Amino acid sequence: MAMPILNQKTFSEGTLSTTLALQYPSPEVFTYPEKILQFGTGVLLRGLCDYFVDKANRQGVFKGRVVLVKSTAKGGADAFEAQDGLFTHCIKGIDEGKEVEEYLINSSISRTLTASKEWDAILACASSPDMRIIISNTTEVGIQYVANDAISGGCPASFPAKLVAFLHARWQHFGGSKESGMVIIPTELIINNGDVLKDIVLKLAHDHQLPADFIQWLQSANHFCNSLVDRIVPGAPDTTTRTAICEQLGYEDSLVIISEVYRLWAIQGSSEVKKILSFASVDSGVVIAEDIEIYRELKLRLLNGTHTLMCGMSYLLGFRLVKDVMSNSYLSKLVMNLMLTELAHSIPYKMDFKIADRFGRSVLDRFKNPFINHKLIDITVQYTTKMRMRNIPLLVNYYRIFGKAPELFAMGFAAYLQFMHAVKVEDGKYFGECNGEFYPIQCDYAEYFYEAWKDLNLTKLLADEKVWGHDLSALPGFEDAVKKYL
């Protein structure tokens, strides 16, 4: 007999039956107004940001729901529609030495709109006085200035242009009132993401010769908040894992996600921002402060930076999951030394090394979480952009401090170059080869490296400032250190 599908109908009819200690939403939540417009439907946003909203709703604090905007052309919103936005969140890991296994139905999402097909419905949200918050995660390449991106006559192509169009519609509807301003929180993993997004939005507003009063409203009534997110939420579970979870739950859920226990959403903002983001009060994992730089640097450099340097090397050695890498005694020690003896000493932010060391050791424990199947191949998505933004500043600062090549960094960098060596192209997609198996190179620089590897000139490659933001060939000994591992 087929299991019922998780949705509002089966939930309200009471046909969901499970042997697990499952946390159900209150029926009242379905009456809450839409307060958040969220660009992105990915597992990180759902496993972190939407988790906090759902938790607050359960406690009767925020009392608001989320409208999801599917902003990429890939796929559709069918699963979200079939399940009325409901999804199961499995939280597994170790917290303060105790094993945690928690299951809850997240009911924070009210509906999902596809930007290319339902742009008018998205713009209609701009007229809602309840909607005061915009959240985004469009990946590191999503926050980019795209010249001549039309903001009228249909859905803009880029996320910043979509945002300009939405805010302009809101400004028009509310007559430019200060109260209609929004709290805008990009969670894309780029430095000063709120500031970068604001600059692009203002540039686009000027490009389109929008009214000076609108531009003034953008700057004075809206809060563009720098933020960072930190929770390991692997991509959608594989079929075997999802099937096993659903059998335990007693219902079908195409949107089920798994996360670790640890959670952090640090948001740079004022007391006014904190008042609007009332969901923050229910969980210490949400930090709203005037300065969040130390949180950003620790997470970006030690967690993400280590991920970036270890993923290609580990994948080429035959590993597929982070936890399996960490269960290998040699690689586990190598990753620890890379993080604590090289990266932690070269963070471009002044802090007591003990803070970095303590954070780094907690990250290593999180990498070892036996419940999380974090795929290495997922970490390699937009590999070059991640390497440039997360790791190159560490490399440059290491040279400033120590004046020599970081050996383990060079090893990880060489493995990254090897991973980017495409041997096959099909329908514009690039593939590398490992032990006779092809793997996808999901990076905007795939073509660049495909051409570079035809006759590799390492000096020329390292000297390309357009790729790295620095001339890496000018760093004494780095080229030789990398060449040793190629």
Side-chain angles (χ1 to χ4, degrees), residues 457-469:
N457 183 328
L458 186 57
T459 303
K460 181 181 177 181
L461 180 65
L462 294 177
D464 194 340
E465 295 187 37
K466 291 182 180 179
V467 177
W468 317 115

Side-chain angles (χ1 to χ4, degrees), residues 356-429:
D357 185 75
R358 184 165 56 247
F359 180 85
R361 292 183 187 278
S362 72
V363 167
L364 291 169
D365 286 340
R366 292 164 62 192
F367 285 177
K368 296 173 184 176
N369 188 337
F371 302 105
I372 300 296
N373 294 327
H374 199 174
K375 297 177 183 177
L376 294 165
I377 198 70
D378 290 342
I379 302 173
T380 68
V381 173
Q382 298 300 350
Y383 206 166
T384 304
T385 299
K386 290 175 178 176
M387 183 66 71
R388 181 178 67 245
M389 297 178 63
R390 302 172 176 183
N391 297 87
I392 299 306
L394 289 167
L395 175 64
V396 172
N397 206 42
Y398 188 92
Y399 266 91
R400 289 189 185 124
I401 299 170
F402 300 104
K404 62 178 182 179
E407 189 70 19
L408 298 178
F409 187 112
M411 180 190 296
F413 190 87
Y416 148 73
L417 295 180
Q418 289 281 13
F419 184 92
M420 294 297 295
H421 186 183
V423 297
K424 184 174 73 168
V425 184
E426 286 185 355
D427 300 324
K429 297 179 181 180

Side-chain angles (χ1 to χ4, degrees), residues 435-454:
N435 298 324
E437 294 182 2
F438 293 109
Y439 59 84
I441 300 177
Q442 304 167 84
C443 176
D444 286 348
Y445 286 83
E447 183 180 4
Y448 173 92
F449 281 97
Y450 178 69
E451 295 298 328
W453 269 102
K454 288 181 177 178

